């Protein structure tokens, strides 16, 4: 093994971090507008179909390199299969609402652009990775493209087999470029839904320590949301909210959303069904939480713990817990297991495990609702999130005991009045102390005293909320490193 490849995981995020930092060194610079590059691979399950609707409404946030259909342990061509062209109705509906979406953000990609990049990957069987497919070629070409060195967030909403095939082609055809390609890869997997990560990607590419998140806490917004979302957040997923905000009168794209229809016990007509795969892209939305800078910082896609090498899994709230050496998936993920009958997990443990997801549920659902409005309403009749600007740096070094001022400016594109809240993300930061934030609801006069914990970091989140309909939240994370 080349010792130079064994770097600390944080160094892998240094490039992203420096890009972000440089944008913030200018006075009054807006929060990072850097658009992440992403590739989606999906097995077309009904919850992928729900995730796809939300995904398309966020395509203004990224450079979408590709949308690839893949197989999984649950779905393959001919087996509980949505069809090779399952995305086509979504793209056709997107084309209908696209002119209206542009009224709200000119960054939405054209339907033609998305259609050119929507292809079939390895779909013939669970874990099939022998055949070179249009999907595997798309992934390989994006990774080999020497004109663009930016990282690519490659998401597996199903199996990792098409991604594995792409990497295998690169290993076979361009072995001398493996390190360079690996440096561009960022993985976000929703479970390991076949064996190809363990059987091929880890043995052949593990030495490059590709930043890899494998999520199980996605269950918070998957089929079992009623077991996971706290009572006060359940209304955001119930039929009355879904019908009013998404399903009805929001155009042809949202009309395709496959919510419950009332034929399943325990779920009402219009109830949220499942978007187990959405955390894979929620993680990459540049909303000021800066989640892509490190998986343990947390954001709309959850928060993760470095378990081995550069692989990040869900933090399990049990000090005696041992993570499996192999796959992290439906059979052994802690959260999935905790929801099975007979589990010895406590309600408190389950609440803590899924909190990195559900703590954002209200804001995330309202943001979805605003974008549903964007499909049908003019700018003046829809809501848009506040915009936060920061004077100085969002990363500061402070002295122990120092009184630290917190200040920003905020505007609202709709002229809405705004409220402010500064809070410490204690689970995400390395400081042990819970700091007291004085005037925590003031945009410009908040402050806290840096704890006596040299070398540790305090993460402070500024939340700016508007009073629009639906109400929207913008964020800015500040990181204070104690000398
Ligand atoms: Ca899926
Ligand atoms: Ca607004
Ligand atoms: Ca802490």
């Amino acid at each position: 093994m080349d010792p130079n490849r064994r770097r600390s995981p944080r160094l892998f995020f240094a490039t992203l971090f420096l890009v972000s930092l440089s944008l913030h060194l200018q006075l009054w610079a807006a929060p990072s507008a850097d658009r992440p590059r992403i590739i989606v691979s999906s097995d077309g399950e009904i919850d992928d179909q729900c995730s796809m609707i939300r995904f398309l409404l966020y395509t203004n946030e990224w450079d979408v390199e590709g949308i690839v259909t893949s197989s999984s342990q649950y779905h393959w061509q001919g087996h509980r299969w949505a069809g090779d062209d399952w995305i086509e109705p979504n793209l056709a509906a997107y084309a209908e609402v696209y002119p209206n979406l542009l009224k709200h953000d000119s960054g939405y990609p054209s339907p033609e652009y998305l259609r050119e990049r929507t292809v079939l990957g390895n779909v013939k069987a669970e874990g099939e990775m022998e055949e070179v497919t249009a999907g595997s070629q798309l992934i390989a070409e994006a990774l080999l493209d020497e004109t663009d060195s930016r990282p690519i967030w490659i998401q597996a909403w199903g199996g990792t087999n098409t991604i594995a095939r792409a990497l295998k082609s690169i290993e076979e055809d361009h072995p001398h470029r493996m390190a360079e390609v690996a440096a561009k890869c960022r993985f976000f997997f929703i479970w390991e839904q076949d064996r190809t990560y363990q059987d091929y990607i880890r043995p052949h590419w593990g030495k490059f320590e590709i930043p890899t998140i494998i999520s199980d806490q996605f269950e918070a917004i998957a089929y079992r949301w009623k077991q996971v979302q706290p009572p006060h957040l359940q209304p955001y997923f119930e039929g009355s909210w879904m019908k009013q905000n998404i399903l009805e009168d929001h155009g042809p794209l949202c009309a395709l959303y496959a919510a419950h229809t009332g034929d399943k016990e325990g779920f009402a007509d219009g109830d949220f069904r499942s978007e187990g795969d959405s955390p894979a892209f929620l993680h990459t939305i540049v909303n000021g939480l800066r989640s892509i800078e490190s998986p343990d910082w947390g954001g709309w896609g959850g928060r993760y713990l470095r378990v081995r090498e550069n692989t990040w899994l869900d933090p399990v709230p049990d000090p005696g817990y041992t993570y499996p050496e192999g796959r992290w998936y439906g059979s052994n993920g802690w959260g999935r297991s905790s929801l099975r009958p007979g589990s010895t997990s406590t309600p408190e443990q389950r609440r803590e495990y899924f909190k990195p997801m559900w703590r954002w549920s209200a804001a995330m659902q309202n943001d979805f609702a605003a974008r549903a409005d964007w499909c049908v309403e003019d700018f003046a009749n829809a809501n848009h999130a506040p915009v936060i600007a920061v004077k100085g740096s969002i990363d500061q070094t402070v002295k122990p005991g120092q009184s630290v001022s917190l200040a920003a400016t905020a505007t609202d594109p709709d002229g809405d009045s705004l409220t402010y809240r500064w809070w410490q993300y204690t689970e995400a930061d390395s400081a042990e102390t819970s700091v007291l934030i004085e005037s925590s609801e003031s945009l410009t006069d908040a402050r806290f005293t840096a704890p006596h914990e040299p070398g540790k970091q305090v993460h402070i989140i500024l939340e700016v909320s508007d009073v629009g309909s639906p109400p929207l939240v913008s964020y800015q994370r500040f990181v204070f490193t104690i000398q």
Side-chain angles (χ1 to χ4, degrees):
M1 181 182 296
D2 177 353
N4 292 325
R5 301 308 311 172
R6 292 200 63 84
R7 293 176 289 178
S8 88
R10 279 297 168 82
L11 282 177
F12 279 92
F13 295 91
T15 306
L16 280 170
F17 181 78
L18 288 172
V19 166
S20 171
L21 190 64
S22 67
L23 287 170
H24 291 282
L25 286 176
Q26 309 157 36
L27 288 183
W28 301 99
S32 172
D34 197 36
R35 287 158 64 93
R37 301 168 78 198
I38 65 165
I39 293 176
V40 169
S41 68
S42 163
D43 62 348
E45 184 167 307
I46 197 163
D47 83 323
D48 300 58
Q49 296 173 29
C50 293
S51 289
M52 184 56 64
I53 307 290
R54 191 187 300 253
F55 171 83
L56 288 170
L57 292 178
Y58 282 87
T59 49
N60 59 321
E61 306 288 337
W62 315 294
D63 289 340
V64 178
E65 299 289 342
I67 304 172
V68 177
T69 295
S70 201
S71 63
S72 71
Q73 69 188 95
Y74 307 105
H75 304 276
W76 56 89
Q77 209 173 40
H79 177 81
R80 302 170 67 206
W81 190 237
D84 295 352
D85 296 325
W86 68 275
I87 300 171
E88 180 52 35
N90 298 299
L91 294 179
Y94 176 82
E96 287 189 64
V97 299
Y98 170 67
N100 217 69
L101 290 171
L102 288 180
K103 297 176 185 173
H104 302 271
D105 192 328
S106 60
Y108 278 99
S110 73
E112 296 74 26
Y113 174 97
L114 291 177
R115 195 169 266 126
E116 279 171 12
R117 285 160 179 77
T118 301
V119 295
L120 204 58
N122 292 59
V123 299
K124 289 184 179 164
E126 174 186 349
E128 194 287 308
M129 59 170 288
E130 287 310 307
E131 187 181 355
V132 173
T133 60
S136 74
Q137 286 179 307
L138 181 149
I139 297 169
E141 283 165 17
L143 289 171
L144 290 165
D145 177 6
E146 287 172 302
T147 68
D148 195 337
S149 61
R150 291 176 298 159
I152 307 178
W153 287 87
I154 304 178
Q155 307 166 19
W157 303 10
T160 49
N161 57 324
T162 305
I163 300 165
R165 176 64 251 181
L167 294 174
K168 191 171 182 214
S169 294
I170 291 168
E171 183 183 23
E172 289 170 353
D173 301 340
H174 307 278
H176 59 289
R177 295 189 60 192
M178 287 176 73
E180 166 202 340
V181 162
K184 281 164 94 168
C185 288
R186 306 284 183 275
F187 292 148
F188 197 120
F189 303 152
I190 302 296
W191 283 341
E192 295 169 53
Q193 297 184 43
D194 63 33
R195 293 205 51 85
T196 56
Y197 177 67
Q198 298 295 337
D199 288 354
Y200 172 73
I201 299 176
R202 265 186 89 182
H204 290 249
W205 293 76
K207 62 186 172 190
F208 301 116
E209 298 197 10
I210 293 169
T212 302
I213 296 170
I214 307 171
S215 179
D216 171 59
Q217 63 196 263
F218 70 81
E219 288 275 13
I221 55 169
Y223 297 102
R224 296 161 193 86
W225 61 268
K226 283 197 176 183
Q227 293 170 258
V228 177
Q229 293 285 332
H232 73 284
L233 295 170
Q234 300 234 353
Y236 290 101
F237 300 86
E238 289 170 355
S240 55
W241 188 96
M242 289 292 295
K243 286 182 186 179
Q244 183 184 344
N245 289 285
I246 309 291
L247 304 176
E248 296 176 354
D249 305 320
H250 286 86
L253 181 60
C254 291
L256 290 175
Y257 193 93
H260 279 295
T261 57
D263 61 353
K264 183 155 173 86
E265 193 183 338
F267 292 95
D269 181 40
D271 271 3
F272 182 92
R273 186 186 301 257
S274 176
E275 289 186 40
D277 300 308
S278 292
F281 67 81
L282 293 171
H283 179 76
T284 63
I285 295 172
V286 178
N287 61 7
L289 288 174
R290 303 169 63 188
S291 47
I292 60 174
E293 291 184 34
S294 188
D296 55 355
W297 283 20
W300 280 10
R303 185 170 55 80
Y304 300 88
L305 178 73
R306 194 169 76 108
V307 168
R308 49 174 142 82
E309 293 107 33
N310 207 358
T311 302
W312 304 69
L313 310 181
D314 310 79
V316 173
D318 173 357
Y321 183 75
T322 304
Y323 287 87
E325 278 300 311
R327 283 171 78 179
W328 186 241
Y329 69 130
S331 297
N332 65 1
W334 188 91
R336 179 70 193 89
S337 303
S338 78
L339 299 174
R340 289 198 172 93
S343 163
T344 56
S345 65
T346 66
E348 291 72 26
Q349 285 176 318
R350 292 195 291 277
R351 186 158 55 241
E352 187 178 340
Y353 185 81
F354 292 111
K355 188 178 180 185
M357 280 295 309
W358 62 248
R359 67 184 310 145
W360 316 107
S361 286
M364 183 196 74
Q365 286 294 82
N366 280 326
D367 206 81
F368 184 24
R371 286 161 190 260
D373 289 344
W374 294 3
C375 294
V376 290
E377 300 286 357
D378 288 338
F379 195 93
N381 292 318
N383 198 13
H384 308 84
V387 178
I388 300 173
V390 176
K391 185 179 186 180
S393 176
I394 53 175
D395 299 291
Q396 296 177 27
T397 302
V398 297
K399 294 186 170 67
Q402 178 184 335
S403 178
V404 181
S405 297
L406 299 169
T409 62
T411 54
D412 188 84
D414 316 294
D416 296 324
S417 62
L418 302 173
T419 60
Y420 315 104
R421 187 165 77 96
W422 299 87
W423 55 278
Q424 180 191 8
Y425 197 169
T426 53
E427 295 94 330
D429 70 15
S430 56
E432 301 287 329
T433 308
S434 289
V435 303
L436 173 69
I437 302 178
E438 294 168 47
S439 303
S440 63
E441 297 185 353
S442 163
L443 184 61
T444 53
D445 291 327
R447 59 181 55 249
F448 72 97
T449 301
H452 290 268
E453 296 190 54
K456 297 296 178 67
Q457 292 184 325
V458 176
H459 286 213
I460 304 285
I461 309 289
L462 168 63
E463 275 187 24
V464 178
S465 305
D466 71 15
V467 295
S469 177
L472 296 177
V473 183
S474 291
Y475 309 90
Q476 181 61 60
R477 183 189 306 244
F478 292 74
V479 176
F480 298 94
T481 301
I482 303 163
Q483 272 180 351

